[in-house]
Every structure is written in C-alpha cells, then in structure tokens.
C-alpha cells in the first residue's frame, strides 16, 4: 500500500509489543498512526485482562469522538484476540471488515482455544474473506460476503523478503548443527501435563544435539512460574533465546537441522522452506507440509524421539517460495473496492 501511495491508517492494538520496532525496521514499514495500548505485552492472563480494558477504553474514546469516522474498510489478520476485537470495532464504526487468513477451521469449537472461536466469529463479522487455500475457501462456502483465495498467506511475501535480504542462499539447509524449538500456544501452556511433556522433550532433544529455544513472552512467564527455568539453564547444550527480528529468525531456521514448534506460522514457513519440522500438537487445521516435511507429533514420545533421531545433524534441500504474492492480490482487491481501480499504480488516489 505504501508503494502504491494508497492512503490508510495503521492502528496497533498493543496486545503484543515485543520486537515491533525490530519488525518495522526489518520490513521498512512506517510507524503506526495509533497505538491503542503502548509498550505492553499481554504475556499472562492478568496482563491480558489489563490489555483488554485498555484496548476497550481507547477504542471507545475514538468511536465516541468520531476520529475513525469515514472509514470504508478495515483489515484484520489471523486468529488472535486483536483480530476479533478489531473486527468488532470496524463493524461498530460502520465499515466493512476484511479478514486476512480467513477460513481455517478445526473440527472442534473449543480446540484450539480460543483461536477456533475467534475465527468463526470474525467470519460472521467480515464482508471480504481472504482465504489462503482451497480448503479454507470451502470452509467459507456458507459464509456471507466475498471469498477470495490468495494461494497462501501473506507470510509467503514476508519469507520472500527475508530470503532476499540474506543474499546468496545455500542449496542445503542444516549447516549449523542445531535444533530450533518454539512453543507458545495457549493449549500447550495452559495444560500442566502437556507443558511438562514439552519441557522434558526440550531436555531430551538437547541430549541429542544443541538446541536454540526461542522464548515467546508467555512461554518465558510460564517457565519461570513453574520452576522449569533452573533445569533448562543447567543444560550446556540448550540456549534460551529472546525473540528476534524476522530476518534473523529465518536465517536461524535455514541453518538448523530441524524445527520443533506448535506455531501455525512456523508450520507455513517450514513447509515453504522444506525444513524438517515436528509439530507439537495433537491436531492441526493447517495442511501445510503434512505428509512431506512436517510431522504431527500428537505429543507422543515414540513419534518425537523417532523424528529427532532421524533428523539430527542431517542436511535438507532448501526450497524458495513461489512467486505468487498473496499481499499483492489483497491490495489489488482493496484498491479496487475503495478506489475503483486495480493493479500497480504510483499515482495517489483521492480519499
């Protein structure tokens, strides 16, 4: 949108603020026009409640004051609390909601929680649904509004930018001789038995090869609250890492032998890269990479131990994402809907 000089207003909800400055710098995006809850990280249930109050208060002030009056479309992404609340606010100010990464569905309303509920409610509020694949399109067959298949999520564009910033890429990944682990989903953090299983898994993997454990804020808080920090820190082959900017994270993945994660975005990245990945979940609503380089762990020892043993210190063929640009298709649609024209343009439309 910046490249086409399309006028828009960028609003951060403030639910998660960690690494945002690094992300803006890495991708060359401009600062937000508004940050509703600045310098905040909703890493615990108590902090989430505080953020919810702050978001609601600030959004209500702007709605009452009319500062968002005249908005035609509002864009939300994914399946976080910010997605649903953002969509609700957009509807309340009289604008239409565009949902990016729409149509993902599991078979159970409460699994994963709360993501599945958020997806379904956001679909009800949305007028334009940008669905990443045919399965997602089919899931929206009974949903009102326009459904557009984007042939991937906008993460495809992000990954392409990250790979371009690295420069000359190796043909093989895995030269670093380590595993990357990332755990953050509510379903894993809120279950004591599952969380203990995963922490023991981290320790077992570090007995086989070095581990770089990238900690999300919520995961860091959980580790400290449950007494696992001391055990993890005592392992010399285990490095606890803060989150980093996206370009650095992609480089970390390229040089790793394997990824163990519960993240949907990580699953997408790994599927596009060809990185051997163990999905730390019992079920997934995403088909990316399954049956290829992605293995669903079902949180079972046999599956996890076999995966680690097979991929430790092994190289893998590095792929590059296709030239398809979901972001371009989305902006084409927004431009046509609001300004009545499509395609790349460098002339700034009138508001």
């Amino acid at each position: 949108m910046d490249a086409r000089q399309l006028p828009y207003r960028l609003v951060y909800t403030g639910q998660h603020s960690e690494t945002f400055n690094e992300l803006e710098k890495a991708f060359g995006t401009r600062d937000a026009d508004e940050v509703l809850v600045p310098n905040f990280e909703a890493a615990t249930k108590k902090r989430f409640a505080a953020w919810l109050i702050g978001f609601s208060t600030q959004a209500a002030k702007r709605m009452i004051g009319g500062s968002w009056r005249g908005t035609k479309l509002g864009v939300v992404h994914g399946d976080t609390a910010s997605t649903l609340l953002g969509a609700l606010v957009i509807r309340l100010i009289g604008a239409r909601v565009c949902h990016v990464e729409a149509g993902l569905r599991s078979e159970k309303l409460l699994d994963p929680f709360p993501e599945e509920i958020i997806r379904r409610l956001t679909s009800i509020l949305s007028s334009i649904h940008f669905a990443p694949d045919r399965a997602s399109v089919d899931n929206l067959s009974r949903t009102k509004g326009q459904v557009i298949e984007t042939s991937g999520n906008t993460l495809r564009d992000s990954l392409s930018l990250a790979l371009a910033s690295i420069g000359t890429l190796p043909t093989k990944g895995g030269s670093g001789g380590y595993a990357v682990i990332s755990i953050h989903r509510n379903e894993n953090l809120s279950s004591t038995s599952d969380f203990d299983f995963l922490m023991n898994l981290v320790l077992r993997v570090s007995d086989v090869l070095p581990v770089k454990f990238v900690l999300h804020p919520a995961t860091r808080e959980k580790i400290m609250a449950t007494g696992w920090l001391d055990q993890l820190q005592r392992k010399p082959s285990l490095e606890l890492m803060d989150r980093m900017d996206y370009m650095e994270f992609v480089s970390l993945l390229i040089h790793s032998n394997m990824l163990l994660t519960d993240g949907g975005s990580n699953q997408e990245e790994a599927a596009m890269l060809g990185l051997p990945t163990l999905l730390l979940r019992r079920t997934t609503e995403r088909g990316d990479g399954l049956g290829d380089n992605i293995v669903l762990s079902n949180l079972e020892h046999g599956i996890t131990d076999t995966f680690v043993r097979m991929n430790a210190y092994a190289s893998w063929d590095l792929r590059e994402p296709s030239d398809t640009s979901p972001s371009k298709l989305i902006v084409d649609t927004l431009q046509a809907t609001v300004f009545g024209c499509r395609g790349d343009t460098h002339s700034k439309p009138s508001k």
Side-chain angles (χ1 to χ4, degrees):
M1 293 185 74
D2 285 339
R4 299 186 192 185
Q5 299 183 41
L6 299 178
Y8 67 95
R9 207 161 173 75
L10 180 60
V11 181
Y12 288 168
T13 67
Q15 183 180 354
H16 298 295
S17 298
E18 186 176 279
T19 75
F20 259 68
N21 290 336
E22 290 84 354
L23 285 168
E24 290 173 338
K25 186 182 300 182
F27 286 106
T29 59
R30 63 177 173 82
D31 292 339
D33 297 293
E34 299 176 77
V35 182
L36 300 186
V37 186
N39 303 317
F40 202 88
E41 186 63 47
T44 64
K45 292 178 180 177
K46 186 176 181 179
R47 293 280 289 172
F48 176 80
W51 168 79
L52 184 59
I53 293 171
F55 170 89
S56 301
T57 301
Q58 293 302 318
K61 286 181 179 179
R62 286 160 175 78
M63 286 189 286
I64 294 171
S67 60
W68 293 334
R69 188 178 295 118
T71 301
K72 295 181 179 179
L73 292 177
V75 181
V76 296
H77 184 285
D79 53 19
T80 67
S82 290
T83 308
L84 177 58
L85 293 173
L88 180 60
V89 168
I90 291 165
R91 282 291 298 270
L92 288 174
I93 62 174
R96 288 190 288 167
V97 177
C98 303
H99 183 202
V100 177
E101 197 185 37
L104 294 179
R105 293 290 186 272
S106 71
E107 297 179 356
K108 299 179 180 179
L109 180 62
L110 300 179
D111 184 15
F113 179 82
E115 289 88 351
E116 184 65 19
I117 294 175
I118 289 172
R119 293 170 190 148
R120 298 190 188 195
L121 291 177
T122 303
S123 291
I124 294 172
L125 294 169
S126 299
S127 298
I128 302 178
H129 312 262
F130 293 108
D133 52 36
R134 176 49 52 180
S136 298
V137 171
D138 292 342
N139 290 335
L140 295 166
S141 60
R142 298 184 180 180
T143 303
K144 294 181 180 180
Q146 184 181 9
V147 179
I148 299 172
E149 184 177 353
T150 56
S151 299
N153 191 14
T154 51
L155 188 66
R156 182 186 299 274
D157 296 285
S158 301
L159 183 59
S160 296
L161 285 170
L163 294 175
S165 73
I166 293 173
T168 303
L169 295 172
T171 58
K172 294 283 188 179
S175 63
Y178 57 81
V180 174
I181 297 181
S182 175
I183 300 166
H184 74 280
R185 294 185 72 89
N186 177 69
E187 63 202 73
N188 285 329
L189 299 186
S190 61
S191 168
T192 299
S193 59
D194 287 352
F195 185 74
D196 288 345
F197 173 89
L198 292 169
M199 292 304 101
N200 277 305
L201 174 61
V202 171
L203 295 175
R204 294 204 315 277
V205 175
S206 69
D207 288 333
V208 179
L209 78 168
V211 167
K212 297 184 183 295
F213 190 2
V214 182
L215 299 180
H216 287 245
T219 313
R220 187 190 306 119
E221 293 287 341
K222 183 71 173 182
I223 287 172
M224 295 176 65
T226 53
W228 276 100
L229 182 61
D230 185 54
Q231 292 188 62
L232 297 173
Q233 287 181 329
R234 284 204 303 265
K235 296 288 290 190
S237 57
L238 174 58
E239 181 182 359
L240 301 179
M241 305 180 69
D242 290 331
R243 287 197 299 178
M244 60 205 74
D245 75 49
Y246 187 67
M247 311 307 184
E248 186 178 353
F249 180 68
V250 170
S251 180
L252 188 75
L253 292 182
I254 289 174
H255 293 96
S256 70
N257 296 121
M258 67 184 81
L259 170 66
L260 292 83
T261 183
D262 60 4
S265 295
N266 290 160
Q267 181 183 348
E268 289 183 62
E269 290 155 345
M272 287 185 279
L273 291 171
L275 169 62
T277 298
L278 184 67
L279 197 58
L280 302 176
R281 301 177 62 183
R282 290 187 174 86
T283 60
T284 178
E285 59 280 7
R286 299 172 187 263
D288 305 74
L290 292 178
D292 183 12
N293 61 307
I294 311 290
V295 176
L296 185 64
S297 73
N298 202 31
L299 299 191
E300 293 181 4
H301 284 292
I303 296 175
T304 58
D305 292 346
T306 299
F307 174 87
V308 173
R309 184 174 62 253
M310 289 180 59
N311 293 287
Y313 298 106
S315 62
W316 45 278
D317 293 329
L318 177 62
R319 308 168 186 164
E320 294 188 52
S322 71
D323 294 334
T324 304
S325 174
S327 297
K328 180 181 183 300
L329 178 58
I330 291 169
V331 175
D332 282 345
T333 304
L334 299 178
Q335 188 171 351
T337 304
V338 179
F339 305 110
C341 55
R342 293 182 67 89
D344 294 304
T345 177
H346 297 286
S347 61
K348 185 173 182 178
S350 59
K351 269 192 177 179

